[in-house]
PDB file of all heavy atoms in Angstrom:
ATOM      1  N   MET R   1      11.606 114.245 166.440  1.00 96.00           N
ATOM      2  CA  MET R   1      10.261 114.755 166.199  1.00 96.00           C
ATOM      3  C   MET R   1       9.225 114.020 167.049  1.00 96.00           C
ATOM      4  O   MET R   1       9.364 112.832 167.335  1.00 96.00           O
ATOM      5  CB  MET R   1       9.911 114.600 164.719  1.00 96.00           C
ATOM      6  CG  MET R   1      10.945 115.184 163.768  1.00 96.00           C
ATOM      7  SD  MET R   1      11.321 116.926 164.027  1.00 96.00           S
ATOM      8  CE  MET R   1       9.779 117.660 163.530  1.00 96.00           C
ATOM      9  N   LYS R   2       8.182 114.767 167.432  1.00 95.00           N
ATOM     10  CA  LYS R   2       7.096 114.207 168.247  1.00 95.00           C
ATOM     11  C   LYS R   2       5.770 114.707 167.711  1.00 95.00           C
ATOM     12  O   LYS R   2       5.635 115.869 167.349  1.00 95.00           O
ATOM     13  CB  LYS R   2       7.259 114.627 169.704  1.00 95.00           C
ATOM     14  CG  LYS R   2       6.161 114.095 170.607  1.00 95.00           C
ATOM     15  CD  LYS R   2       6.750 113.553 171.865  1.00 95.00           C
ATOM     16  CE  LYS R   2       5.701 112.962 172.764  1.00 95.00           C
ATOM     17  NZ  LYS R   2       5.704 111.532 172.713  1.00 95.00           N
ATOM     18  N   ASP R   3       4.792 113.831 167.666  1.00 94.00           N
ATOM     19  CA  ASP R   3       3.420 114.212 167.304  1.00 94.00           C
ATOM     20  C   ASP R   3       2.686 114.602 168.574  1.00 94.00           C
ATOM     21  O   ASP R   3       2.748 113.886 169.574  1.00 94.00           O
ATOM     22  CB  ASP R   3       2.685 113.050 166.639  1.00 94.00           C
ATOM     23  CG  ASP R   3       3.265 112.726 165.279  1.00 94.00           C
ATOM     24  OD1 ASP R   3       3.730 113.648 164.590  1.00 94.00           O
ATOM     25  OD2 ASP R   3       3.251 111.539 164.902  1.00 94.00           O
ATOM     26  N   ILE R   4       2.016 115.741 168.521  1.00 93.00           N
ATOM     27  CA  ILE R   4       1.215 116.195 169.658  1.00 93.00           C
ATOM     28  C   ILE R   4      -0.165 116.576 169.162  1.00 93.00           C
ATOM     29  O   ILE R   4      -0.379 116.786 167.972  1.00 93.00           O
ATOM     30  CB  ILE R   4       1.864 117.393 170.391  1.00 93.00           C
ATOM     31  CG1 ILE R   4       1.953 118.601 169.462  1.00 93.00           C
ATOM     32  CG2 ILE R   4       3.215 117.026 170.955  1.00 93.00           C
ATOM     33  CD1 ILE R   4       2.192 119.896 170.195  1.00 93.00           C
ATOM     34  N   LEU R   5      -1.086 116.693 170.087  1.00 90.00           N
ATOM     35  CA  LEU R   5      -2.430 117.148 169.779  1.00 90.00           C
ATOM     36  C   LEU R   5      -2.491 118.622 170.133  1.00 90.00           C
ATOM     37  O   LEU R   5      -2.272 119.003 171.286  1.00 90.00           O
ATOM     38  CB  LEU R   5      -3.454 116.348 170.595  1.00 90.00           C
ATOM     39  CG  LEU R   5      -4.875 116.334 170.083  1.00 90.00           C
ATOM     40  CD1 LEU R   5      -4.929 115.833 168.648  1.00 90.00           C
ATOM     41  CD2 LEU R   5      -5.743 115.476 170.965  1.00 90.00           C
ATOM     42  N   GLY R   6      -2.753 119.466 169.140  1.00 80.00           N
ATOM     43  CA  GLY R   6      -2.786 120.906 169.352  1.00 80.00           C
ATOM     44  C   GLY R   6      -4.054 121.361 170.052  1.00 80.00           C
ATOM     45  O   GLY R   6      -4.983 120.576 170.284  1.00 80.00           O
ATOM     46  N   GLU R   7      -4.085 122.655 170.376  1.00 82.00           N
ATOM     47  CA  GLU R   7      -5.245 123.237 171.061  1.00 82.00           C
ATOM     48  C   GLU R   7      -6.525 123.096 170.255  1.00 82.00           C
ATOM     49  O   GLU R   7      -7.605 123.015 170.806  1.00 82.00           O
ATOM     50  CB  GLU R   7      -4.976 124.718 171.352  1.00 82.00           C
ATOM     51  CG  GLU R   7      -3.893 124.948 172.378  1.00 82.00           C
ATOM     52  CD  GLU R   7      -3.630 126.424 172.595  1.00 82.00           C
ATOM     53  OE1 GLU R   7      -4.410 127.275 172.115  1.00 82.00           O
ATOM     54  OE2 GLU R   7      -2.628 126.728 173.258  1.00 82.00           O
ATOM     55  N   ASN R   8      -6.373 123.084 168.924  1.00 86.00           N
ATOM     56  CA  ASN R   8      -7.545 122.975 168.049  1.00 86.00           C
ATOM     57  C   ASN R   8      -7.969 121.525 167.818  1.00 86.00           C
ATOM     58  O   ASN R   8      -8.862 121.259 167.020  1.00 86.00           O
ATOM     59  CB  ASN R   8      -7.258 123.655 166.718  1.00 86.00           C
ATOM     60  CG  ASN R   8      -6.065 123.056 165.995  1.00 86.00           C
ATOM     61  OD1 ASN R   8      -5.463 122.098 166.459  1.00 86.00           O
ATOM     62  ND2 ASN R   8      -5.729 123.627 164.863  1.00 86.00           N
ATOM     63  N   GLY R   9      -7.309 120.596 168.500  1.00 88.00           N
ATOM     64  CA  GLY R   9      -7.657 119.189 168.354  1.00 88.00           C
ATOM     65  C   GLY R   9      -7.002 118.505 167.177  1.00 88.00           C
ATOM     66  O   GLY R   9      -7.267 117.340 166.918  1.00 88.00           O
ATOM     67  N   ARG R  10      -6.146 119.212 166.469  1.00 91.00           N
ATOM     68  CA  ARG R  10      -5.465 118.629 165.321  1.00 91.00           C
ATOM     69  C   ARG R  10      -4.054 118.195 165.697  1.00 91.00           C
ATOM     70  O   ARG R  10      -3.417 118.798 166.540  1.00 91.00           O
ATOM     71  CB  ARG R  10      -5.383 119.640 164.180  1.00 91.00           C
ATOM     72  CG  ARG R  10      -6.732 119.961 163.613  1.00 91.00           C
ATOM     73  CD  ARG R  10      -6.613 120.776 162.396  1.00 91.00           C
ATOM     74  NE  ARG R  10      -7.944 121.085 161.898  1.00 91.00           N
ATOM     75  CZ  ARG R  10      -8.172 121.608 160.738  1.00 91.00           C
ATOM     76  NH1 ARG R  10      -7.169 121.921 159.947  1.00 91.00           N
ATOM     77  NH2 ARG R  10      -9.403 121.850 160.350  1.00 91.00           N
ATOM     78  N   GLN R  11      -3.618 117.159 165.028  1.00 91.00           N
ATOM     79  CA  GLN R  11      -2.276 116.651 165.274  1.00 91.00           C
ATOM     80  C   GLN R  11      -1.252 117.605 164.675  1.00 91.00           C
ATOM     81  O   GLN R  11      -1.427 118.113 163.571  1.00 91.00           O
ATOM     82  CB  GLN R  11      -2.123 115.271 164.647  1.00 91.00           C
ATOM     83  CG  GLN R  11      -0.830 114.591 164.984  1.00 91.00           C
ATOM     84  CD  GLN R  11      -0.799 113.155 164.515  1.00 91.00           C
ATOM     85  OE1 GLN R  11      -1.843 112.507 164.411  1.00 91.00           O
ATOM     86  NE2 GLN R  11       0.366 112.656 164.200  1.00 91.00           N
ATOM     87  N   ALA R  12      -0.171 117.831 165.411  1.00 89.00           N
ATOM     88  CA  ALA R  12       0.916 118.681 164.943  1.00 89.00           C
ATOM     89  C   ALA R  12       2.239 117.976 165.224  1.00 89.00           C
ATOM     90  O   ALA R  12       2.347 117.185 166.158  1.00 89.00           O
ATOM     91  CB  ALA R  12       0.877 120.023 165.643  1.00 89.00           C
ATOM     92  N   GLU R  13       3.226 118.266 164.405  1.00 91.00           N
ATOM     93  CA  GLU R  13       4.550 117.687 164.582  1.00 91.00           C
ATOM     94  C   GLU R  13       5.475 118.768 165.140  1.00 91.00           C
ATOM     95  O   GLU R  13       5.538 119.866 164.597  1.00 91.00           O
ATOM     96  CB  GLU R  13       5.077 117.192 163.232  1.00 91.00           C
ATOM     97  CG  GLU R  13       6.439 116.560 163.298  1.00 91.00           C
ATOM     98  CD  GLU R  13       6.905 116.092 161.932  1.00 91.00           C
ATOM     99  OE1 GLU R  13       6.961 116.909 160.996  1.00 91.00           O
ATOM    100  OE2 GLU R  13       7.231 114.913 161.823  1.00 91.00           O
ATOM    101  N   ILE R  14       6.172 118.448 166.233  1.00 93.00           N
ATOM    102  CA  ILE R  14       7.105 119.410 166.816  1.00 93.00           C
ATOM    103  C   ILE R  14       8.493 118.775 166.910  1.00 93.00           C
ATOM    104  O   ILE R  14       8.623 117.562 166.993  1.00 93.00           O
ATOM    105  CB  ILE R  14       6.663 119.907 168.208  1.00 93.00           C
ATOM    106  CG1 ILE R  14       6.589 118.750 169.205  1.00 93.00           C
ATOM    107  CG2 ILE R  14       5.345 120.655 168.149  1.00 93.00           C
ATOM    108  CD1 ILE R  14       6.519 119.182 170.639  1.00 93.00           C
ATOM    109  N   CYS R  15       9.494 119.640 166.914  1.00 94.00           N
ATOM    110  CA  CYS R  15      10.871 119.183 167.058  1.00 94.00           C
ATOM    111  C   CYS R  15      11.242 119.268 168.531  1.00 94.00           C
ATOM    112  O   CYS R  15      11.232 120.346 169.120  1.00 94.00           O
ATOM    113  CB  CYS R  15      11.794 120.053 166.204  1.00 94.00           C
ATOM    114  SG  CYS R  15      13.520 119.575 166.302  1.00 94.00           S
ATOM    115  N   GLN R  16      11.546 118.125 169.127  1.00 93.00           N
ATOM    116  CA  GLN R  16      11.938 118.076 170.535  1.00 93.00           C
ATOM    117  C   GLN R  16      13.370 118.560 170.726  1.00 93.00           C
ATOM    118  O   GLN R  16      13.702 119.146 171.739  1.00 93.00           O
ATOM    119  CB  GLN R  16      11.818 116.652 171.072  1.00 93.00           C
ATOM    120  CG  GLN R  16      10.416 116.130 171.140  1.00 93.00           C
ATOM    121  CD  GLN R  16       9.601 116.802 172.215  1.00 93.00           C
ATOM    122  OE1 GLN R  16       9.126 117.913 172.050  1.00 93.00           O
ATOM    123  NE2 GLN R  16       9.464 116.140 173.338  1.00 93.00           N
ATOM    124  N   SER R  17      14.223 118.262 169.752  1.00 94.00           N
ATOM    125  CA  SER R  17      15.626 118.649 169.832  1.00 94.00           C
ATOM    126  C   SER R  17      16.254 118.495 168.457  1.00 94.00           C
ATOM    127  O   SER R  17      15.791 117.702 167.636  1.00 94.00           O
ATOM    128  CB  SER R  17      16.363 117.760 170.831  1.00 94.00           C
ATOM    129  OG  SER R  17      17.695 118.172 170.992  1.00 94.00           O
ATOM    130  N   SER R  18      17.305 119.264 168.223  1.00 96.00           N
ATOM    131  CA  SER R  18      18.042 119.194 166.973  1.00 96.00           C
ATOM    132  C   SER R  18      19.526 119.162 167.300  1.00 96.00           C
ATOM    133  O   SER R  18      20.012 119.976 168.094  1.00 96.00           O
ATOM    134  CB  SER R  18      17.702 120.416 166.115  1.00 96.00           C
ATOM    135  OG  SER R  18      18.435 120.392 164.923  1.00 96.00           O
ATOM    136  N   LEU R  19      20.244 118.209 166.715  1.00 96.00           N
ATOM    137  CA  LEU R  19      21.672 118.063 166.970  1.00 96.00           C
ATOM    138  C   LEU R  19      22.428 118.023 165.648  1.00 96.00           C
ATOM    139  O   LEU R  19      21.946 117.466 164.664  1.00 96.00           O
ATOM    140  CB  LEU R  19      21.958 116.768 167.724  1.00 96.00           C
ATOM    141  CG  LEU R  19      21.338 116.615 169.103  1.00 96.00           C
ATOM    142  CD1 LEU R  19      21.503 115.191 169.599  1.00 96.00           C
ATOM    143  CD2 LEU R  19      21.981 117.580 170.062  1.00 96.00           C
ATOM    144  N   GLU R  20      23.616 118.585 165.649  1.00 96.00           N
ATOM    145  CA  GLU R  20      24.504 118.489 164.498  1.00 96.00           C
ATOM    146  C   GLU R  20      25.633 117.541 164.873  1.00 96.00           C
ATOM    147  O   GLU R  20      26.289 117.724 165.902  1.00 96.00           O
ATOM    148  CB  GLU R  20      25.060 119.863 164.139  1.00 96.00           C
ATOM    149  CG  GLU R  20      25.829 119.873 162.853  1.00 96.00           C
ATOM    150  CD  GLU R  20      26.192 121.277 162.401  1.00 96.00           C
ATOM    151  OE1 GLU R  20      25.443 122.216 162.708  1.00 96.00           O
ATOM    152  OE2 GLU R  20      27.237 121.400 161.749  1.00 96.00           O
ATOM    153  N   VAL R  21      25.842 116.510 164.051  1.00 96.00           N
ATOM    154  CA  VAL R  21      26.863 115.507 164.350  1.00 96.00           C
ATOM    155  C   VAL R  21      27.687 115.209 163.099  1.00 96.00           C
ATOM    156  O   VAL R  21      27.227 115.403 161.978  1.00 96.00           O
ATOM    157  CB  VAL R  21      26.249 114.197 164.888  1.00 96.00           C
ATOM    158  CG1 VAL R  21      25.522 114.411 166.185  1.00 96.00           C
ATOM    159  CG2 VAL R  21      25.329 113.553 163.876  1.00 96.00           C
ATOM    160  N   GLU R  22      28.906 114.740 163.319  1.00 95.00           N
ATOM    161  CA  GLU R  22      29.757 114.259 162.239  1.00 95.00           C
ATOM    162  C   GLU R  22      29.738 112.742 162.272  1.00 95.00           C
ATOM    163  O   GLU R  22      29.861 112.136 163.337  1.00 95.00           O
ATOM    164  CB  GLU R  22      31.190 114.743 162.424  1.00 95.00           C
ATOM    165  CG  GLU R  22      31.382 116.192 162.102  1.00 95.00           C
ATOM    166  CD  GLU R  22      32.850 116.587 162.120  1.00 95.00           C
ATOM    167  OE1 GLU R  22      33.724 115.718 161.894  1.00 95.00           O
ATOM    168  OE2 GLU R  22      33.107 117.758 162.366  1.00 95.00           O
ATOM    169  N   ALA R  23      29.576 112.137 161.093  1.00 96.00           N
ATOM    170  CA  ALA R  23      29.526 110.683 161.017  1.00 96.00           C
ATOM    171  C   ALA R  23      29.867 110.221 159.607  1.00 96.00           C
ATOM    172  O   ALA R  23      29.821 111.008 158.654  1.00 96.00           O
ATOM    173  CB  ALA R  23      28.142 110.177 161.409  1.00 96.00           C
ATOM    174  N   ALA R  24      30.189 108.954 159.486  1.00 95.00           N
ATOM    175  CA  ALA R  24      30.532 108.374 158.189  1.00 95.00           C
ATOM    176  C   ALA R  24      29.311 108.260 157.280  1.00 95.00           C
ATOM    177  O   ALA R  24      29.429 108.355 156.056  1.00 95.00           O
ATOM    178  CB  ALA R  24      31.171 107.001 158.381  1.00 95.00           C
ATOM    179  N   ASN R  25      28.122 108.056 157.885  1.00 96.00           N
ATOM    180  CA  ASN R  25      26.898 107.917 157.086  1.00 96.00           C
ATOM    181  C   ASN R  25      25.689 108.283 157.954  1.00 96.00           C
ATOM    182  O   ASN R  25      25.830 108.527 159.160  1.00 96.00           O
ATOM    183  CB  ASN R  25      26.778 106.488 156.537  1.00 96.00           C
ATOM    184  CG  ASN R  25      26.858 105.444 157.617  1.00 96.00           C
ATOM    185  OD1 ASN R  25      26.133 105.491 158.610  1.00 96.00           O
ATOM    186  ND2 ASN R  25      27.777 104.485 157.455  1.00 96.00           N
ATOM    187  N   SER R  26      24.522 108.299 157.355  1.00 95.00           N
ATOM    188  CA  SER R  26      23.319 108.725 158.078  1.00 95.00           C
ATOM    189  C   SER R  26      22.938 107.750 159.194  1.00 95.00           C
ATOM    190  O   SER R  26      22.423 108.173 160.234  1.00 95.00           O
ATOM    191  CB  SER R  26      22.141 108.914 157.118  1.00 95.00           C
ATOM    192  OG  SER R  26      21.808 107.702 156.488  1.00 95.00           O
ATOM    193  N   ARG R  27      23.211 106.470 159.004  1.00 96.00           N
ATOM    194  CA  ARG R  27      22.905 105.493 160.054  1.00 96.00           C
ATOM    195  C   ARG R  27      23.756 105.756 161.299  1.00 96.00           C
ATOM    196  O   ARG R  27      23.257 105.758 162.417  1.00 96.00           O
ATOM    197  CB  ARG R  27      23.146 104.070 159.548  1.00 96.00           C
ATOM    198  CG  ARG R  27      22.758 103.011 160.578  1.00 96.00           C
ATOM    199  CD  ARG R  27      23.005 101.600 160.088  1.00 96.00           C
ATOM    200  NE  ARG R  27      22.225 101.346 158.880  1.00 96.00           N
ATOM    201  CZ  ARG R  27      22.624 100.544 157.897  1.00 96.00           C
ATOM    202  NH1 ARG R  27      23.770  99.914 157.974  1.00 96.00           N
ATOM    203  NH2 ARG R  27      21.854 100.356 156.854  1.00 96.00           N
ATOM    204  N   ASP R  28      25.053 106.000 161.090  1.00 97.00           N
ATOM    205  CA  ASP R  28      25.934 106.314 162.213  1.00 97.00           C
ATOM    206  C   ASP R  28      25.538 107.635 162.866  1.00 97.00           C
ATOM    207  O   ASP R  28      25.568 107.771 164.083  1.00 97.00           O
ATOM    208  CB  ASP R  28      27.394 106.386 161.765  1.00 97.00           C
ATOM    209  CG  ASP R  28      27.977 105.026 161.408  1.00 97.00           C
ATOM    210  OD1 ASP R  28      27.334 103.994 161.711  1.00 97.00           O
ATOM    211  OD2 ASP R  28      29.071 105.004 160.818  1.00 97.00           O
ATOM    212  N   ALA R  29      25.155 108.611 162.049  1.00 97.00           N
ATOM    213  CA  ALA R  29      24.722 109.907 162.575  1.00 97.00           C
ATOM    214  C   ALA R  29      23.508 109.745 163.477  1.00 97.00           C
ATOM    215  O   ALA R  29      23.419 110.359 164.543  1.00 97.00           O
ATOM    216  CB  ALA R  29      24.403 110.869 161.435  1.00 97.00           C
ATOM    217  N   THR R  30      22.585 108.898 163.076  1.00 96.00           N
ATOM    218  CA  THR R  30      21.385 108.645 163.868  1.00 96.00           C
ATOM    219  C   THR R  30      21.742 108.048 165.221  1.00 96.00           C
ATOM    220  O   THR R  30      21.245 108.499 166.257  1.00 96.00           O
ATOM    221  CB  THR R  30      20.429 107.699 163.113  1.00 96.00           C
ATOM    222  OG1 THR R  30      20.067 108.305 161.871  1.00 96.00           O
ATOM    223  CG2 THR R  30      19.193 107.407 163.920  1.00 96.00           C
ATOM    224  N   GLU R  31      22.624 107.059 165.226  1.00 96.00           N
ATOM    225  CA  GLU R  31      23.000 106.408 166.477  1.00 96.00           C
ATOM    226  C   GLU R  31      23.769 107.347 167.405  1.00 96.00           C
ATOM    227  O   GLU R  31      23.533 107.362 168.616  1.00 96.00           O
ATOM    228  CB  GLU R  31      23.810 105.142 166.193  1.00 96.00           C
ATOM    229  CG  GLU R  31      23.005 104.048 165.520  1.00 96.00           C
ATOM    230  CD  GLU R  31      21.713 103.719 166.249  1.00 96.00           C
ATOM    231  OE1 GLU R  31      21.739 103.532 167.483  1.00 96.00           O
ATOM    232  OE2 GLU R  31      20.659 103.639 165.587  1.00 96.00           O
ATOM    233  N   ILE R  32      24.670 108.150 166.852  1.00 96.00           N
ATOM    234  CA  ILE R  32      25.417 109.121 167.657  1.00 96.00           C
ATOM    235  C   ILE R  32      24.458 110.128 168.274  1.00 96.00           C
ATOM    236  O   ILE R  32      24.537 110.449 169.460  1.00 96.00           O
ATOM    237  CB  ILE R  32      26.479 109.838 166.793  1.00 96.00           C
ATOM    238  CG1 ILE R  32      27.586 108.857 166.399  1.00 96.00           C
ATOM    239  CG2 ILE R  32      27.060 111.045 167.528  1.00 96.00           C
ATOM    240  CD1 ILE R  32      28.505 109.367 165.300  1.00 96.00           C
ATOM    241  N   ALA R  33      23.528 110.627 167.460  1.00 97.00           N
ATOM    242  CA  ALA R  33      22.571 111.623 167.947  1.00 97.00           C
ATOM    243  C   ALA R  33      21.647 111.037 169.014  1.00 97.00           C
ATOM    244  O   ALA R  33      21.317 111.716 169.987  1.00 97.00           O
ATOM    245  CB  ALA R  33      21.756 112.178 166.784  1.00 97.00           C
ATOM    246  N   LYS R  34      21.227 109.789 168.841  1.00 96.00           N
ATOM    247  CA  LYS R  34      20.377 109.150 169.854  1.00 96.00           C
ATOM    248  C   LYS R  34      21.094 109.084 171.197  1.00 96.00           C
ATOM    249  O   LYS R  34      20.494 109.369 172.245  1.00 96.00           O
ATOM    250  CB  LYS R  34      19.978 107.742 169.411  1.00 96.00           C
ATOM    251  CG  LYS R  34      18.909 107.715 168.340  1.00 96.00           C
ATOM    252  CD  LYS R  34      18.632 106.286 167.914  1.00 96.00           C
ATOM    253  CE  LYS R  34      17.587 106.192 166.840  1.00 96.00           C
ATOM    254  NZ  LYS R  34      17.343 104.798 166.411  1.00 96.00           N
ATOM    255  N   GLN R  35      22.372 108.732 171.174  1.00 96.00           N
ATOM    256  CA  GLN R  35      23.151 108.672 172.412  1.00 96.00           C
ATOM    257  C   GLN R  35      23.259 110.055 173.058  1.00 96.00           C
ATOM    258  O   GLN R  35      23.072 110.202 174.269  1.00 96.00           O
ATOM    259  CB  GLN R  35      24.540 108.104 172.143  1.00 96.00           C
ATOM    260  CG  GLN R  35      24.531 106.644 171.789  1.00 96.00           C
ATOM    261  CD  GLN R  35      25.906 106.142 171.367  1.00 96.00           C
ATOM    262  OE1 GLN R  35      26.893 106.860 171.388  1.00 96.00           O
ATOM    263  NE2 GLN R  35      25.961 104.877 170.964  1.00 96.00           N
ATOM    264  N   LYS R  36      23.558 111.070 172.249  1.00 96.00           N
ATOM    265  CA  LYS R  36      23.683 112.435 172.774  1.00 96.00           C
ATOM    266  C   LYS R  36      22.345 112.942 173.320  1.00 96.00           C
ATOM    267  O   LYS R  36      22.297 113.602 174.357  1.00 96.00           O
ATOM    268  CB  LYS R  36      24.203 113.386 171.697  1.00 96.00           C
ATOM    269  CG  LYS R  36      25.654 113.178 171.377  1.00 96.00           C
ATOM    270  CD  LYS R  36      26.143 114.202 170.376  1.00 96.00           C
ATOM    271  CE  LYS R  36      27.619 114.037 170.104  1.00 96.00           C
ATOM    272  NZ  LYS R  36      28.143 115.105 169.248  1.00 96.00           N
ATOM    273  N   PHE R  37      21.266 112.650 172.603  1.00 95.00           N
ATOM    274  CA  PHE R  37      19.930 113.069 173.034  1.00 95.00           C
ATOM    275  C   PHE R  37      19.598 112.458 174.391  1.00 95.00           C
ATOM    276  O   PHE R  37      19.112 113.141 175.294  1.00 95.00           O
ATOM    277  CB  PHE R  37      18.896 112.666 171.982  1.00 95.00           C
ATOM    278  CG  PHE R  37      17.486 113.066 172.293  1.00 95.00           C
ATOM    279  CD1 PHE R  37      17.090 114.390 172.236  1.00 95.00           C
ATOM    280  CD2 PHE R  37      16.537 112.115 172.635  1.00 95.00           C
ATOM    281  CE1 PHE R  37      15.782 114.759 172.514  1.00 95.00           C
ATOM    282  CE2 PHE R  37      15.239 112.460 172.909  1.00 95.00           C
ATOM    283  CZ  PHE R  37      14.855 113.796 172.844  1.00 95.00           C
ATOM    284  N   CYS R  38      19.887 111.168 174.555  1.00 95.00           N
ATOM    285  CA  CYS R  38      19.629 110.495 175.829  1.00 95.00           C
ATOM    286  C   CYS R  38      20.449 111.109 176.956  1.00 95.00           C
ATOM    287  O   CYS R  38      19.938 111.295 178.069  1.00 95.00           O
ATOM    288  CB  CYS R  38      19.920 109.002 175.712  1.00 95.00           C
ATOM    289  SG  CYS R  38      18.669 108.092 174.794  1.00 95.00           S
ATOM    290  N   GLN R  39      21.700 111.446 176.684  1.00 95.00           N
ATOM    291  CA  GLN R  39      22.533 112.094 177.700  1.00 95.00           C
ATOM    292  C   GLN R  39      21.977 113.463 178.071  1.00 95.00           C
ATOM    293  O   GLN R  39      21.882 113.795 179.259  1.00 95.00           O
ATOM    294  CB  GLN R  39      23.973 112.239 177.200  1.00 95.00           C
ATOM    295  CG  GLN R  39      24.716 110.936 177.102  1.00 95.00           C
ATOM    296  CD  GLN R  39      26.056 111.078 176.421  1.00 95.00           C
ATOM    297  OE1 GLN R  39      26.383 112.098 175.822  1.00 95.00           O
ATOM    298  NE2 GLN R  39      26.855 110.019 176.496  1.00 95.00           N
ATOM    299  N   MET R  40      21.599 114.247 177.071  1.00 92.00           N
ATOM    300  CA  MET R  40      21.072 115.593 177.320  1.00 92.00           C
ATOM    301  C   MET R  40      19.777 115.561 178.128  1.00 92.00           C
ATOM    302  O   MET R  40      19.561 116.381 179.012  1.00 92.00           O
ATOM    303  CB  MET R  40      20.790 116.325 175.988  1.00 92.00           C
ATOM    304  CG  MET R  40      22.005 116.757 175.262  1.00 92.00           C
ATOM    305  SD  MET R  40      21.697 117.490 173.618  1.00 92.00           S
ATOM    306  CE  MET R  40      19.975 117.799 173.555  1.00 92.00           C
ATOM    307  N   GLU R  41      18.904 114.616 177.798  1.00 91.00           N
ATOM    308  CA  GLU R  41      17.587 114.544 178.424  1.00 91.00           C
ATOM    309  C   GLU R  41      17.556 113.599 179.629  1.00 91.00           C
ATOM    310  O   GLU R  41      16.503 113.412 180.241  1.00 91.00           O
ATOM    311  CB  GLU R  41      16.540 114.094 177.394  1.00 91.00           C
ATOM    312  CG  GLU R  41      16.375 115.035 176.221  1.00 91.00           C
ATOM    313  CD  GLU R  41      15.799 116.370 176.627  1.00 91.00           C
ATOM    314  OE1 GLU R  41      14.976 116.422 177.572  1.00 91.00           O
ATOM    315  OE2 GLU R  41      16.173 117.384 176.000  1.00 91.00           O
ATOM    316  N   ARG R  42      18.697 112.992 179.918  1.00 94.00           N
ATOM    317  CA  ARG R  42      18.807 112.018 181.014  1.00 94.00           C
ATOM    318  C   ARG R  42      17.775 110.896 180.869  1.00 94.00           C
ATOM    319  O   ARG R  42      16.977 110.617 181.768  1.00 94.00           O
ATOM    320  CB  ARG R  42      18.678 112.716 182.361  1.00 94.00           C
ATOM    321  CG  ARG R  42      19.804 113.674 182.610  1.00 94.00           C
ATOM    322  CD  ARG R  42      19.732 114.277 183.970  1.00 94.00           C
ATOM    323  NE  ARG R  42      20.905 115.122 184.162  1.00 94.00           N
ATOM    324  CZ  ARG R  42      20.886 116.245 184.826  1.00 94.00           C
ATOM    325  NH1 ARG R  42      19.775 116.676 185.390  1.00 94.00           N
ATOM    326  NH2 ARG R  42      21.983 116.957 184.955  1.00 94.00           N
ATOM    327  N   LEU R  43      17.834 110.267 179.698  1.00 92.00           N
ATOM    328  CA  LEU R  43      16.914 109.180 179.356  1.00 92.00           C
ATOM    329  C   LEU R  43      17.691 107.902 179.092  1.00 92.00           C
ATOM    330  O   LEU R  43      18.851 107.947 178.695  1.00 92.00           O
ATOM    331  CB  LEU R  43      16.142 109.520 178.077  1.00 92.00           C
ATOM    332  CG  LEU R  43      15.252 110.747 178.090  1.00 92.00           C
ATOM    333  CD1 LEU R  43      14.780 111.044 176.681  1.00 92.00           C
ATOM    334  CD2 LEU R  43      14.075 110.523 179.011  1.00 92.00           C
TER     335      LEU R  43
END
């Protein structure tokens, strides 16, 4: 998720990307997704 400033001058939250991952727990899911996101976006 990213906060942006909309055309009306108000802050809005947008989803930059959404990934589905398999993991043992939410912490592992977060780390796996971060790695995949970086690969996809070349970051």
